[in-house]
């Protein structure tokens, strides 16, 4: 693509207005809040001060939360890769009986995650859970609160974030050339040698990517430590939330958010350089689709089958029990009992029929729909400009629009709170903190990078001769956009809207900082219902909320991925995204042969997977 001078680009009124509005948005909501956070932390009275740093170093709770966050991040990077690689191999590489059933079980984290998953694990494995009740019957001396602390958080987040592997590592594995494996086998290599020396090295780029995601997920974990960590294990994000609630400790919360943001950026930079330093190609004249490999050793085969089905039980048990408990009465839930004669639709009637129970669901739907519509609608114009014109201005705008990808949600939220808790000229001298609008703005912000990336790929896939023909016939830019380009990108835009809507429904990480007290979204209500002081009906409502969210998520995934895939001829998963999304949409428009790349300086595979319609990173 040839470079277009900025002056020539800005001659179009359409481009000029779009760039002006975009510049205001970037300055007001992406740059200034985060810059102001630094100013308020280190220059509270207009002069440099180390007060926040001194408070951090002298706070035992804060320092312990820092250590806990890095411990969780490192541990999660290891455990998620071990489990994730294993489930991908048993469903895609080895010849395992019932592999399709196993895949369905492992894929349950596609339809629920975040605060819903954490709450579900607590209800099942917590003090009053059915699993704990069974363990107490088997081991009478067992502590009922056994499922709390570091190991409970690590266990939950490990099985929640393997969605990254199911999405990305599976596609990379399918792209491995089977002829390479056959050549190694003909030279006398065994299964373990082929796996260790050929297959896994070719998956290394994607393993780097999912390792980054796992590390950053553990580093910024919020919902899982809050629900399952107990008093002994709290991480940075919960401490930020605690300190942000008091004006006297808000500077400490800001400093913790800055530390979290810096650690995120450093991790991305380090892993990107490591990733670029290797060569991970296997080329052949004719690529052959990989075939499943048998495990010849009987003992090894039996062991792999046992582990695979044990993990299947771990994945499926919470989903099954959540669905079953959604039909039983509150008393049965309290006693951790389960009986078919206690199952009714009363819980669903109460949630869908009573205004107080339905209100959180309606609030979440309204916020999610509005944020998804604003993000997609606004970025349609922006993505068009960025895909058509290449110059220093569009490059700078694209880099700035990726700020939400390299900063944690806690830092973004705290920056908005501290920047707009007083009248500001940037937003018309109105106060945003404490209003219903600020959460909507935050939802739009966190969806910008993912939405921009996919929409830009959609515009890149449109045949350029259509626009050229319209221009030769005298059509103006806006008319061409409305009558030719928009219909062409509308299907992927609708898919992005659905994915954004789906991922925001149960959001907790952002809402817990910015939600209005009178308009509490579903994530906050579910978190509140995990506390021991809530009513029995509130706990029953949580199971109903979880099932409704699973149904909506499953339907969304089917409409975006499944229906389009069924209309398409059977092909390799590596040849493109498994949906109606444009080719290259999930890798920033990179060629299909490229495993990774960069968009706006951000590694292509480091997008939050929760943004891709799954819940790979949502248990934060």
């Amino acid at each position: 693509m040839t470079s277009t001078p900025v002056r020539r680009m800005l001659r179009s009124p359409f481009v000029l207005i779009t760039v002006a509005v975009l510049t205001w948005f970037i300055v007001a909501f992406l740059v200034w809040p985060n810059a102001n956070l630094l100013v308020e932390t280190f220059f509270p009275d207009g002069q440099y001060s180390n007060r926040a740093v001194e408070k951090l170093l002298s706070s035992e709770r804060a320092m312990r939360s820092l250590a806990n966050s890095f411990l969780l991040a490192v541990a999660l990077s290891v455990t998620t890769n071990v489990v994730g690689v294993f489930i991908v191999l048993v469903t895609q590489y080895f010849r395992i009986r019932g592999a399709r059933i196993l895949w369905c079980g492992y894929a349950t984290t596609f339809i629920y995650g975040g605060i819903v998953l954490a709450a579900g694990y607590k209800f099942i494995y917590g003090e009053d859970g059915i699993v704990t009740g069974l363990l107490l019957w088997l081991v009478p001396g067992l502590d009922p609160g056994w499922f709390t602390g570091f190991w409970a958080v690590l266990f939950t987040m490990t099985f929640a974030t393997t969605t990254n592997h199911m999405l990305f590592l599976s596609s990379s594995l399918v792209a491995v050339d089977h002829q390479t494996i056959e050549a190694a086998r003909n030279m006398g290599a065994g299964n373990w040698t082929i796996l260790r020396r050929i297959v896994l090295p070719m998956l290394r780029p994607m393993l780097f990517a999912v390792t980054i995601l796992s590390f950053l997920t553990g580093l910024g974990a919020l919902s899982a430590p809050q629900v399952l960590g107990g008093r002994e294990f709290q991480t940075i994000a919960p401490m930020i939330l605690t300190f942000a609630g008091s004006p006297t400790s808000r500077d400490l919360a800001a400093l913790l958010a800055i530390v979290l943001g810096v650690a995120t950026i450093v991790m991305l930079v380090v892993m990107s350089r490591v990733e670029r330093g290797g060569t991970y190609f296997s080329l052949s004249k004719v690529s052959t689709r990989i075939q499943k490999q048998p495990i010849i050793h009987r003992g090894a085969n039996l062991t792999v089958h046992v582990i695979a089905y044990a993990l299947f039980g771990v994945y499926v048990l919470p989903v099954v029990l959540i669905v079953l408990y959604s039909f039983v009465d509150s008393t049965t839930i309290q006693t951790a009992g389960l009986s078919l004669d206690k199952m009714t639709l009363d819980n669903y009637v109460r949630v869908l029929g009573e205004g107080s129970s339905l209100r959180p669901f309606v609030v979440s739907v309204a916020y999610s729909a509005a944020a998804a519509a604003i993000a997609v609608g606004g970025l349609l114009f922006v993505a068009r400009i960025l895909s058509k014109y290449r110059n220093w201005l569009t490059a700078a705008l694209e880099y700035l629009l990726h700020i939400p990808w390299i900063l944690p949600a806690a830092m973004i939220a705290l920056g908005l709170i501290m920047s707009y808790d007083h009248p500001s000229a940037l937003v018309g001298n109105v106060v945003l903190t404490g209003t219903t609008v600020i959460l909507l703005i935050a939802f739009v912000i966190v969806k910008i990078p993912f939405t921009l990336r996919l929409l830009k790929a959609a515009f890149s896939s449109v045949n350029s001769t259509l626009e050229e023909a319209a221009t030769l016939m005298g059509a103006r830019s806006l008319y061409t956009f409305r009558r030719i380009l928009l219909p062409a990108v509308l299907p992927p835009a609708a898919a992005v809207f659905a994915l954004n809507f789906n991922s925001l429904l149960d959001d907790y990480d952002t809402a817990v900082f910015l939600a209005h007290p009178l308009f509490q979204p579903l994530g906050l209500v579910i978190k509140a219902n995990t506390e021991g002081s809530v009513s029995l009906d509130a706990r029953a409502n949580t199971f109903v909320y979880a099932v409704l969210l699973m149904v909506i998520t499953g339907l969304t995934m089917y409409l975006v991925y499944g229906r389009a895939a069924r209309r398409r001829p059977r092909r390799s998963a590596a040849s493109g995204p498994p949906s109606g999304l444009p080719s290259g949409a999930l890798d920033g428009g990179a060629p299909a042969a490229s495993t990774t790349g960069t968009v706006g300086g951000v590694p292509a595979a480091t997008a939050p997977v929760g943004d891709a319609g799954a819940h790979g990173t949502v248990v934060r």
Side-chain angles (χ1 to χ4, degrees):
M1 182 184 297
T2 59
S3 178
T4 305
V6 175
R7 286 188 177 182
R8 181 181 174 185
M9 181 185 73
L10 295 179
R11 288 175 185 172
S12 169
F14 168 74
V15 175
L16 182 61
I17 294 174
T18 302
V19 170
V21 174
L22 179 62
T23 302
W24 165 78
F25 184 90
I26 289 174
V27 172
F29 300 115
L30 298 184
V31 176
W32 169 243
N34 298 300
N36 185 55
L37 189 67
L38 294 171
V39 172
E40 292 290 335
T41 303
F42 296 108
F43 300 89
D45 301 316
Q47 295 181 343
Y48 178 76
S49 173
N50 278 328
R51 184 178 60 187
V53 177
E54 294 172 357
K55 291 174 65 175
L56 174 62
L57 295 177
S58 62
S59 173
E60 183 180 352
R61 292 176 62 197
M63 295 302 295
R64 187 165 60 245
S65 70
L66 281 172
N68 288 341
S69 287
F70 282 96
L71 172 64
L72 179 61
V74 173
L76 189 65
S77 301
V78 176
T79 57
T80 304
N81 272 324
V82 170
V83 176
V85 170
F86 179 83
I87 65 176
V88 168
L89 292 178
V90 297
T91 54
Q92 302 292 335
Y93 182 75
F94 289 121
R95 194 176 299 166
I96 303 295
R97 294 178 182 268
R100 291 187 178 182
I101 297 176
L102 290 174
W103 187 93
C104 291
Y106 300 152
T108 52
T109 52
F110 279 70
I111 61 172
Y112 82 129
I115 191 65
V116 177
L117 187 143
Y121 270 67
K122 181 174 182 179
F123 283 133
I124 293 167
Y125 296 102
E127 294 184 12
D128 300 324
I130 188 170
V131 173
T132 299
L134 178 62
L135 291 176
L136 288 174
W137 180 72
L138 295 174
V139 186
L142 180 68
D143 179 12
W146 67 280
F147 197 73
T148 56
F150 168 74
W151 294 108
V153 174
L154 181 62
F155 178 86
T156 302
M157 295 187 68
T158 295
F159 291 101
T161 54
T162 51
T163 312
N164 301 338
H165 296 74
M166 296 289 289
L167 277 173
F168 300 130
L169 201 63
S170 295
S171 296
S172 296
L173 180 61
V174 173
V176 174
D177 185 8
H178 184 67
Q179 294 184 25
T180 308
I181 297 176
E182 284 299 309
R185 193 179 301 280
N186 292 335
M187 296 175 67
N191 284 343
W192 170 245
T193 302
I194 293 174
L195 180 64
R196 181 171 56 90
R197 301 293 298 274
I198 297 176
V199 176
L200 291 181
M202 294 178 67
L203 300 180
R204 197 175 300 168
M206 195 56 67
L207 283 174
F208 278 132
V210 296
T211 300
I212 292 173
L213 289 173
S214 300
F215 186 91
L216 297 181
T217 300
L219 194 63
L222 175 58
S223 58
Q226 268 206 310
V227 174
L228 301 169
R231 295 183 178 181
E232 300 301 323
F233 187 79
Q234 288 299 311
T235 53
I236 295 177
M239 284 295 100
I240 294 174
L241 179 61
T242 301
F243 292 139
S246 173
T248 59
S249 60
R250 188 171 289 181
D251 57 342
L252 187 55
L255 182 57
L256 284 173
I258 292 170
V259 171
L260 190 58
V262 170
T264 302
I265 295 172
V266 170
M267 182 62 183
L268 288 174
V269 171
V270 171
M271 292 301 292
S272 297
R273 290 191 175 185
V274 172
E275 184 182 40
R276 293 194 198 104
T279 302
Y280 319 102
F281 295 101
S282 174
L283 302 176
S284 61
K285 294 183 178 180
V286 181
S287 179
T288 305
R289 182 182 176 89
I290 193 171
Q291 298 177 12
K292 290 191 173 183
Q293 306 296 306
I295 303 177
I296 300 175
H297 192 279
R298 289 188 176 182
N301 188 34
L302 178 62
T303 302
V304 170
H305 273 78
V306 170
I307 296 175
Y309 279 95
L311 291 176
F312 174 83
V314 173
Y315 278 95
V316 171
L317 182 62
V319 178
V320 172
L321 291 181
I322 286 173
V323 173
L324 293 177
Y325 271 128
S326 70
F327 291 100
V328 301
D329 58 80
S330 304
T331 305
T332 305
I333 294 175
Q334 178 67 20
T335 58
L338 196 59
S339 176
L340 293 177
D341 59 344
K342 298 288 186 180
M343 293 186 178
T344 65
L345 294 175
D346 292 346
N347 294 336
Y348 288 87
V349 172
R350 182 178 61 254
V351 169
L352 299 177
E354 295 182 3
S356 59
S357 300
L358 185 61
R359 182 181 176 86
F361 198 83
V362 174
V363 170
S364 289
V365 169
Y367 267 122
S368 302
I374 293 172
V376 173
L379 288 175
L380 275 171
F381 302 99
V382 176
R384 171 57 190 152
I385 293 173
L386 296 181
S387 63
K388 182 178 181 179
Y389 304 102
R390 291 307 300 174
N391 51 55
W392 65 266
L393 179 58
T394 56
L397 292 175
E398 187 171 358
Y399 272 92
L400 292 171
L401 286 172
H402 283 85
I403 288 177
W405 251 355
I406 61 175
L407 297 180
M411 186 173 178
I412 295 173
L414 202 57
L416 291 173
I417 292 173
M418 297 179 67
S419 299
Y420 297 113
D421 59 354
H422 57 276
S424 174
L426 287 173
V427 291
N429 289 320
V430 299
V431 177
L432 296 179
T433 301
T435 67
T436 57
V437 177
I438 194 169
L439 179 59
L440 178 62
I441 294 172
F443 278 171
V444 173
I445 289 173
V446 297
K447 290 302 166 191
I448 285 175
F450 172 76
T451 305
L452 176 64
R453 189 171 181 175
L454 266 66
L455 291 182
K456 187 181 175 185
F459 278 110
S460 299
S461 65
V462 177
N463 192 342
S464 60
T465 58
L466 298 175
E467 184 180 4
E468 293 174 0
T471 303
L472 292 175
M473 296 175 67
R476 294 181 178 274
S477 299
L478 189 58
Y479 182 87
T480 303
F481 178 84
R482 180 170 56 88
R483 297 298 300 272
I484 296 177
L485 297 177
L486 186 58
V489 301
L490 200 56
V496 175
F497 171 86
L499 294 174
N500 285 344
F501 173 82
N502 180 63
S503 62
L504 290 172
L505 268 180
D506 62 345
D507 178 88
Y508 177 76
D509 292 9
T510 306
V512 71
F513 288 94
L514 301 171
H516 191 281
L518 300 181
F519 296 92
Q520 296 280 295
L522 200 54
L524 301 187
V525 174
I526 292 175
K527 167 60 176 66
N529 290 347
T530 62
E531 306 295 335
S533 58
V534 298
S535 65
L536 296 181
D537 285 345
R539 298 187 65 182
N541 291 350
T542 300
F543 290 109
V544 177
Y545 293 144
V547 173
L548 293 177
L549 289 172
M550 289 181 192
V551 171
I552 294 174
T553 304
L555 181 62
T556 302
M557 296 295 289
Y558 170 75
L559 292 176
V560 174
Y561 291 96
R563 189 174 61 175
R566 293 182 66 176
R567 291 199 299 260
R568 188 180 295 111
R570 190 175 184 87
R571 64 177 184 173
S572 170
S575 61
S579 70
L581 297 176
S583 178
L586 293 181
D587 58 9
S594 175
T595 309
T596 57
T598 60
V599 177
V602 180
T606 58
V609 177
D611 288 340
H615 288 87
T617 61
V618 290
V619 183
R620 301 181 60 179

